[in-house]
Amino acid sequence: MIIDKLFKFASSFRNEHAFNYLDLCHNTEANILVTDTGALVTVFKINGLQAIPGEKEWKNAANNLLSAFQTIFKSDGVTVQWVYEKDDNQTQRELIRHTRPSVDAMKAIGLDLMDIYQENIKVNRDWVCFESSHIAIWSDFRLIEPQLLKKRLNENATKAADIELFLSDVPNVFVAINELIVKHKSIVEEFMYNLGRAKILAKTLNSEDACNVIKVQYDKEASPLWKAQLIGELRHIKAPKNGEPNNDGSELFWTKLNEQIASKPFEYKNAGQLQIGQMLYKSGMIETFPITVKPFRSLVESIDSNLPFRISFKIMSGKGFDWSLRQNLLAFTSFLSSDNSRVQAEMHNLEQMSETDPFVRFAVSFTTWAKEPETLMYNYSRLDQAIQGWGVSQTLEDKSDEMELYTDTVIAGKAKTSATQTYVPISECIKFMPIDRTANIWDKGFLLFRTLQGVCFPWTPISPIMKPSIELYIARSRQGKSVLSNSILAALTLSPGNKILPLAATIDVGPSSIGIHKMIRDRLPDSEKHKVITYVLSLEGDDYINPFEKNPCLDTLFMHQRAFVAGFLLLLSQNSRGEMHENMEGYVDALIEEVYQYKASEGATAYNAGILPEVDQWIAENDFKLYEDTKWVEIEKALGDANEWKLAQECCVLSSPVLNDFVTVANQSGSLLRMYGDSNDPSSPKKEFVLRMTESAKKYPIFTSHSTLNFRAARLRSIDLQNVITKDEIIGPRQNGIMFMLALYLGSGDFFMNPDCLKAVDAKYLDHYKQVVKEIRSSPCRLFMDEFHQCSGLRQTVVNVERYMREGGKWGINSALASQEAGDFTPTMIRQATSYFFLGGNSIEAVKALKDQFSLSHSDFTVLTDNTVHGPKKGGSSLLYVYKTNEGQFSQVLKFPVGPQMLWANSSNPDDLIIKDEINAKIGSNRGLSLLGELYNGGTAESEIQRRRSDENTVSKDIVKDVIDEILEVAARRGIPFLT
């Protein structure tokens, strides 16, 4: 048509400078940029859909977006642009950006895990691809009533004239008007609200970040650290050109944003190519829109993952200046062709629909880039084919001005477009949008998952996004649960901002957590290795653990410690059926107070020289006067007065009460006798208590003396209960409950230290305990209990865990439980949890029960039953992650790749443990894991060992030793140094 030819002719005038193609002037409010025409623009970063992109989820997102757009486009004066970009060339850089804070934490702690870090980047690099999604919203003067607009423009022009601000190449700070700013803020806020309802995670970018995104999209060679000079920021004034100041004083002003962003010159090349710097670009647009649109992910999946591209969807309000002209011409020429009449009728139909479903001008442009012309033409050809196949679209290259079309694909570059505009109802535009791209809610973290769409999903333990931070893991055996929990421990250790090791306790039935703890300990400096402890609890041996140990220089327990001691004594007081005297609870509570008073006075333990040589040395060097009856508690307090808290803690171990002290006080306490009566009194629990404690001392000698292990000094604590858990139906519940409760307290007893504890501290020790509380409260604290089904029926253990969940969030304690069945968790635990990890597939019947228990969606149900969620395979395990925030409950299917070194660090196979310990002892953990990962990249040597054992020709009696010797031979041939 003649009109299209006129438009083509008008577009043939090309701008000389690159910045003339961008309409950006300066910044005004925190997240608002101003164009040369006075329009306002805000940029949103779209993280994606916080749901599995099933049909129901897509419809919910689409309907809420439609509601938002229908509200926005009821009035003229608004333009919306949605830009999606995918570029594998940025993947490595993005993975490093996600994990860079973990490297800083690693260095601050002094932890040598760079090989694990590099493996983590490498294994994820093979499976993820960088992509970004942004929305820009412009508000222009059409939103303002004409008379008011005229008045404000005149006022602003007067202000500019008063200071002689008539500079063509500096920002006109008076071009924006307040009424438009107010309207624009309202549009932005309402749009953000509707995005939340659509479960689309987004945030508005501040002016600095918005300019950075525009710059990096415009110039693919720009530094990702580039920052614009914004009005209001400190800056260095430009020097006068040629030694003489400009007549207009423009060197005193900030540079316009378009000049800062499009600072590189551009050059037109052959075949519609464009060059900016060393990079070549080629762009196109959709000329004829498809009637039936496939989901956006089908477009992405049809494009090679290593092909970089960007696609822009621009929605403009208003009819455009050509609408009336087209109507008149079509009416005038309708007798010439029946087609003209049908077009005129369609235009009339759009106007009729506009009251409920506003029609808009819709344009789609796209671009790709490469450094070599041949590569660029190949990329463009593949991209063009994919877009044409996306609902059978017709595409077009605009060779009138390639730069105009290229800048049309840059987010927030300009509100106008040179791409073909089509008049469609807003509901039709929604179908094109990249709604179904899955979200990542964290931007930083050492632990890297990925969504099914290949989007990197960093994960941060103990995040402020989810308070409290409580996790439940449901997984059958060998589905990757232990590897996941151990990887989360590594991620917690390397959390952004960490300068010391976190406080973390892992309670397990088996050795699955020992490997990761040993690896971390091996990688610490020698002076820090004591801060990681792995302990296999046993009823036999020479170790003692005193669960009644107090705090140095204090004669009483803190409230959380007292609650543990009471619960522990009540467990010991039960018979094999879990029964105890009806008055036992009150009796034990009163007894605790008396025992600690007794140990601080007449029952205090006498000092003996030679037990603690460092204390003996301090006594000698400081002329501390000893008497025949000097007590450990006296020396302990003297050490506290001298600020020698390490030695005071050692004395505290010996001054604390032990189990027998409770029997002693129970037998001789007059106050308890008056309150509860004598042993012969049926209402008195004394006889039963003494009997149960005497039995416990015989059965559990580990509790009968002062501690020989120092758990308090350690920050990472792994406790294996395999040797003390029994399946005996008679004694099992009681013994297992005792052992779980002991491990719970040993591992995490100090996690509840808080400012309320300071009320029980003597003034002269207050400064020390303030520092203790500060250090604990400023540290991430995590309790992880694996094999929680072993606690089934252990009432006191369950009560304690529920207390952790209920109260721990207040103090930032991360509680995590793992079990094989959801039924092992109480309704309280499920209700309190903010994260659910479902690993491995399940039967339809089992998942039906999960659906109601965990409020799972239909899409959640589907992925748990159709093998989408599965155990370890090539590319990693697959899990369903359901999480809760203040905005609601969301879910994603995540893939979890793990490299061979990390697999070896996690291996708990008995043969692998022998091999790993021997190799690490000979050549060190770094080289050992690296070599093991290379020679047995599945993270285990078990298949090779089993092959040899089943081979009739194998004559060796010790195959594991053979494998070790072979690995060491490889190390020797490669010149790997052996440790002395």
Side-chain angles (χ1 to χ4, degrees):
M1 290 180 65
I2 188 170
I3 296 172
D4 296 316
K5 291 181 179 179
L6 287 170
F7 295 157
K8 195 76 172 179
F9 175 74
S11 68
S12 65
F13 295 98
R14 296 180 171 183
N15 294 310
E16 182 180 353
H17 299 292
F19 57 77
N20 288 330
Y21 287 92
L22 299 181
D23 186 14
L24 288 167
C25 184
H26 64 278
N27 58 298
T28 175
E29 307 250 335
N31 58 5
I32 302 176
L33 303 177
V34 184
T35 72
D36 281 320
T37 58
L40 307 176
V41 58
T42 293
V43 179
F44 302 76
K45 178 178 173 56
I46 306 300
N47 284 71
L49 185 63
Q50 294 191 94
I52 298 168
E55 183 179 354
K56 184 177 179 181
E57 289 79 7
W58 189 94
K59 285 183 177 179
N60 172 70
N63 288 335
N64 281 286
L65 270 179
L66 177 59
S67 175
F69 283 152
Q70 285 175 338
T71 302
I72 287 175
F73 287 106
K74 277 185 178 179
S75 303
D76 287 352
V78 178
T79 299
V80 175
Q81 181 189 26
W82 195 328
V83 173
Y84 172 85
E85 179 175 301
K86 192 168 185 180
D87 185 1
D88 194 44
N89 296 317
Q90 296 187 55
T91 302
Q92 181 84 3
R93 184 174 70 188
E94 191 69 1
L95 288 172
I96 291 172
R97 187 184 69 81
H98 286 317
T99 54
R100 174 57 62 187
S102 297
V103 176
D104 297 336
M106 195 187 305
K107 292 177 180 177
I109 296 170
L111 187 56
D112 181 13
L113 285 174
M114 280 305 295
D115 57 328
I116 303 298
Y117 168 78
Q118 289 164 354
E119 179 184 70
N120 190 28
I121 296 292
K122 180 181 178 182
V123 74
N124 280 279
R125 178 65 184 86
D126 296 336
W127 298 100
V128 302
C129 183
F130 169 80
E131 62 179 64
S132 68
S133 188
H134 295 87
I135 289 176
I137 295 182
W138 286 265
S139 302
D140 63 44
F141 288 155
R142 289 175 291 170
L143 290 169
I144 307 300
E145 192 272 326
Q147 292 299 320
L148 177 61
L149 175 62
K150 183 177 180 180
K151 180 182 177 183
R152 291 291 181 261
L153 291 177
N154 287 335
E155 289 173 354
N156 288 351
T158 302
K159 290 176 184 177
D162 288 344
I163 61 170
E164 298 181 354
L165 184 61
F166 292 106
L167 309 178
S168 60
D169 58 348
V170 300
N172 180 359
V173 294
F174 296 111
V175 72
I177 62 175
N178 290 331
E179 286 79 3
L180 185 59
I181 291 175
V182 172
K183 282 185 175 291
H184 181 76
K185 284 182 175 179
S186 176
I187 291 171
V188 167
E189 288 173 6
E190 186 170 1
F191 189 70
M192 274 295 292
Y193 170 75
N194 280 289
L195 286 176
R197 291 183 59 193
K199 291 194 173 184
I200 293 176
L201 183 64
K203 71 172 184 177
T204 56
L205 297 182
N206 60 40
S207 298
E208 182 178 288
D209 290 341
C211 289
N212 174 268
V213 169
I214 300 167
K215 174 77 171 183
V216 171
Q217 284 199 3
Y218 169 79
D219 180 5
K220 285 296 152 190
E221 295 175 327
S223 167
L225 303 178
W226 179 88
K227 290 184 179 182
Q229 289 186 347
L230 301 177
I231 289 178
E233 295 180 350
L234 288 174
R235 59 184 287 271
H236 297 291
I237 297 173
K238 290 183 289 187
K241 296 177 182 177
N242 302 320
E244 295 292 333
N246 298 330
N247 293 331
D248 58 11
S250 59
E251 71 273 4
L252 302 176
F253 290 83
W254 284 266
T255 305
K256 290 172 68 173
L257 290 177
N258 60 348
E259 295 183 27
Q260 295 184 51
I261 292 168
S263 56
K264 280 185 182 178
F266 70 95
E267 184 180 349
Y268 295 106
K269 295 290 186 178
N270 295 328
Q273 297 182 17
L274 185 76
Q275 183 169 351
I276 301 174
Q278 299 301 311
M279 193 68 72
L280 296 169
Y281 305 84
K282 186 171 175 61
S283 308
M285 58 185 168
I286 293 183
E287 175 72 7
T288 304
F289 286 85
I291 301 301
T292 304
V293 182
K294 299 175 185 177
F296 185 79
R297 67 173 176 269
S298 67
L299 171 64
V300 177
E301 290 166 1
S302 68
I303 299 171
D304 297 343
S305 61
N306 61 349
L307 191 156
F309 74 96
R310 184 165 64 235
I311 186 167
S312 167
F313 305 92
K314 198 165 284 187
I315 310 170
M316 294 151 283
S317 64
K319 299 175 181 177
F321 75 92
D322 65 310
W323 182 268
S324 297
L325 181 58
R326 288 177 185 266
Q327 274 191 321
N328 292 334
L329 285 172
L330 287 167
F332 181 73
T333 61
S334 60
F335 67 91
L336 297 176
S337 171
S338 60
D339 288 343
N340 289 350
S341 297
R342 282 194 290 270
V343 173
Q344 187 180 19
E346 180 62 24
M347 293 174 71
H348 178 71
N349 185 45
L350 282 171
E351 288 187 320
Q352 291 293 314
M353 293 171 56
S354 64
E355 292 186 8
T356 56
D357 192 6
F359 75 89
V360 293
R361 291 172 288 144
F362 187 47
V364 180
S365 52
F366 54 90
T367 192
T368 183
W369 51 91
K371 290 191 174 180
E372 300 296 332
E374 296 79 9
T375 305
L376 178 64
M377 295 307 293
Y378 173 82
N379 287 352
Y380 183 84
S381 174
R382 295 301 301 270
L383 178 59
D384 188 56
Q385 289 174 20
I387 292 175
Q388 289 190 47
W390 181 38
V392 196
S393 308
Q394 183 177 336
T395 60
L396 182 71
E397 296 178 42
D398 185 358
K399 296 183 179 179
S400 60
D401 193 341
E402 294 86 347
M403 185 66 172
E404 188 80 37
L405 190 58
Y406 171 70
T407 52
D408 195 51
T409 68
V410 175
I411 188 70
K414 57 184 179 180
K416 295 180 180 179
T417 179
S418 62
T420 300
Q421 300 175 35
T422 300
Y423 290 97
V424 293
I426 191 66
S427 58
E428 290 298 309
C429 298
I430 297 297
K431 298 176 182 178
F432 287 84
M433 301 301 172
I435 298 170
D436 54 7
R437 304 309 292 171
T438 45
N440 57 345
I441 59 175
W442 288 280
D443 190 51
K444 301 287 192 296
F446 180 75
L447 180 56
L448 300 177
F449 297 108
R450 72 178 187 278
T451 70
L452 292 180
Q453 297 173 353
V455 176
C456 186
F457 193 103
W459 198 82
T460 302
I462 315 183
S463 166
I465 295 174
M466 290 180 291
K467 286 188 174 181
S469 182
I470 300 171
E471 303 148 22
L472 299 181
Y473 300 76
I474 300 96
R476 291 176 288 109
S477 180
R478 305 187 70 82
Q479 297 300 304
K481 169 173 54 70
S482 296
V483 174
L484 174 60
S485 62
N486 290 338
S487 297
I488 288 176
L489 175 64
L492 177 70
T493 303
L494 300 177
S495 289
N498 278 5
K499 291 182 170 47
I500 58 174
L501 290 173
L503 287 166
T506 301
I507 300 170
D508 201 355
V509 182
S512 59
S513 68
I514 289 178
I516 190 72
H517 284 81
K518 282 186 175 181
M519 183 184 74
I520 293 173
R521 184 178 61 200
D522 290 344
R523 306 300 184 86
L524 285 167
D526 290 342
S527 61
E528 299 289 303
K529 291 187 187 300
H530 67 282
K531 293 183 178 178
V532 181
I533 187 170
T534 58
Y535 185 67
V536 181
L537 199 60
S538 175
L539 297 180
E540 301 174 355
D542 299 327
D543 290 333
Y544 291 97
I545 296 174
N546 180 16
F548 312 110
E549 195 171 294
K550 66 182 186 69
N551 305 285
C553 302
L554 301 185
D555 298 331
T556 58
L557 297 172
F558 296 130
M559 291 301 295
H560 65 278
Q561 295 171 326
R562 184 179 177 126
F564 160 76
V565 170
F568 191 75
L569 288 171
L570 289 174
L571 265 177
L572 294 179
S573 302
Q574 294 175 4
N575 61 23
S576 60
R577 296 184 300 276
E579 302 167 340
M580 61 183 176
H581 195 283
E582 60 181 355
N583 293 328
M584 188 66 76
E585 193 168 339
Y587 184 83
V588 164
D589 192 57
L591 177 62
I592 291 171
E593 187 69 29
E594 290 208 22
V595 167
Y596 283 89
Q597 289 177 0
Y598 168 77
K599 291 300 292 183
S601 52
E602 69 267 25
T605 309
Y607 163 75
N608 281 311
I611 298 176
L612 298 176
E614 290 186 30
V615 173
D616 296 339
Q617 183 180 349
W618 181 87
I619 289 172
E621 291 176 352
N622 291 272
D623 298 324
F624 181 83
K625 196 165 182 64
L626 292 173
Y627 299 93
E628 275 190 28
D629 59 348
T630 296
K631 312 296 183 185
W632 279 111
V633 69
E634 296 175 82
I635 301 171
E636 172 190 330
K637 291 183 177 180
L639 286 164
D641 293 339
N643 209 31
E644 293 283 355
W645 287 100
K646 180 177 177 294
L647 298 180
Q649 173 61 52
E650 293 179 9
C651 293
C652 175
V653 171
L654 299 175
S655 68
S656 295
V658 293
L659 183 61
N660 190 56
D661 290 314
F662 287 85
V663 175
T664 300
V665 174
N667 282 324
Q668 68 184 34
S669 170
S671 61
L672 289 174
L673 180 65
R674 289 188 294 274
M675 291 173 64
Y676 292 95
D678 191 70
S679 299
N680 296 322
D681 188 340
S683 65
S684 174
K686 173 185 173 182
K687 182 178 180 180
E688 186 175 321
F689 177 82
V690 171
L691 174 64
R692 297 283 178 243
M693 295 308 113
T694 304
E695 288 176 347
S696 296
K698 292 178 180 178
K699 188 168 186 179
Y700 309 118
I702 191 173
F703 303 145
T704 58
S705 186
H706 300 295
S707 294
T708 56
L709 298 168
N710 184 5
F711 279 85
R712 292 191 183 190
R715 296 185 67 84
L716 300 185
R717 307 149 184 176
S718 170
I719 303 171
D720 179 4
L721 302 181
Q722 188 170 27
N723 293 340
V724 294
I725 294 296
T726 175
K727 294 183 179 179
D728 188 297
E729 293 182 0
I730 297 176
I731 67 172
R734 180 170 178 263
Q735 176 170 313
N736 294 350
I738 290 168
M739 295 305 160
F740 265 106
M741 197 165 179
L742 175 66
L744 193 65
Y745 186 66
L746 283 177
S748 60
D750 51 351
F751 289 6
F752 279 93
M753 287 283 287
N754 63 77
D756 292 341
C757 296
L758 300 176
K759 298 173 184 176
V761 177
D762 190 287
K764 58 183 176 179
Y765 306 125
L766 198 56
D767 286 344
H768 167 72
Y769 279 96
K770 279 183 178 178
Q771 185 60 35
V772 171
V773 169
K774 180 182 178 182
E775 186 173 303
I776 290 174
R777 292 280 59 87
S778 62
S779 297
C781 297
R782 174 179 171 85
L783 167 68
F784 176 70
M785 295 183 68
D786 202 354
E787 307 296 342
F788 193 70
H789 58 275
Q790 300 280 4
C791 296
S792 179
L794 307 182
R795 178 180 171 276
Q796 195 61 47
T797 304
V798 170
V799 167
N800 274 276
V801 173
E802 287 183 342
R803 182 174 70 88
Y804 263 80
M805 290 185 163
R806 209 168 33 248
E807 301 176 14
K810 182 170 66 173
W811 305 115
I813 298 173
N814 168 214
S815 304
L817 309 176
S819 197
Q820 296 186 11
E821 300 289 342
D824 299 325
F825 304 122
T826 67
T828 298
M829 294 171 181
I830 294 172
R831 188 170 58 252
Q832 292 285 333
T834 52
S835 287
Y836 309 133
F837 291 89
F838 299 92
L839 290 86
N842 230 315
S843 67
I844 292 177
E845 291 72 24
V847 178
K848 281 180 180 177
L850 293 176
K851 187 176 181 181
D852 293 332
Q853 280 180 289
F854 294 90
S855 302
L856 301 181
S857 69
H858 176 72
S859 294
D860 297 337
F861 178 89
T862 300
V863 300
L864 286 172
T865 54
D866 68 357
N867 205 36
T868 300
V869 172
H870 56 72
K873 291 182 180 179
K874 183 180 180 181
S877 300
S878 174
L879 59 91
L880 172 64
Y881 175 46
V882 180
Y883 57 98
K884 303 174 188 174
T885 71
N886 292 334
E887 306 301 322
Q889 179 167 306
F890 309 98
S891 56
Q892 296 281 11
V893 175
L894 301 177
K895 290 278 194 175
F896 178 43
V898 181
Q901 288 181 242
M902 194 64 172
L903 287 173
W904 266 104
N906 281 287
S907 178
S908 56
N909 177 282
D911 291 333
D912 290 337
L913 288 174
I914 295 171
I915 294 170
K916 180 170 56 176
D917 288 346
E918 185 70 18
I919 298 300
N920 288 348
K922 290 288 174 57
I923 61 176
S925 172
N926 297 55
R927 296 187 180 94
L929 289 180
S930 176
L931 190 57
L932 286 169
E934 177 188 341
L935 299 179
Y936 298 97
N937 59 16
T940 176
E942 188 59 19
S943 59
E944 174 62 17
I945 292 170
Q946 291 302 327
R947 186 192 66 78
R948 296 188 190 188
R949 283 174 177 163
S950 61
D951 188 346
E952 296 178 357
N953 297 321
T954 301
V955 295
S956 174
K957 294 182 179 180
D958 193 341
I959 294 174
V960 172
K961 184 177 183 302
D962 292 344
V963 171
I964 293 171
D965 291 342
E966 290 167 11
I967 295 170
L968 292 176
E969 285 177 14
V970 173
R973 286 199 304 270
R974 295 184 181 181
I976 296 175
F978 282 58
L979 301 178
T980 56

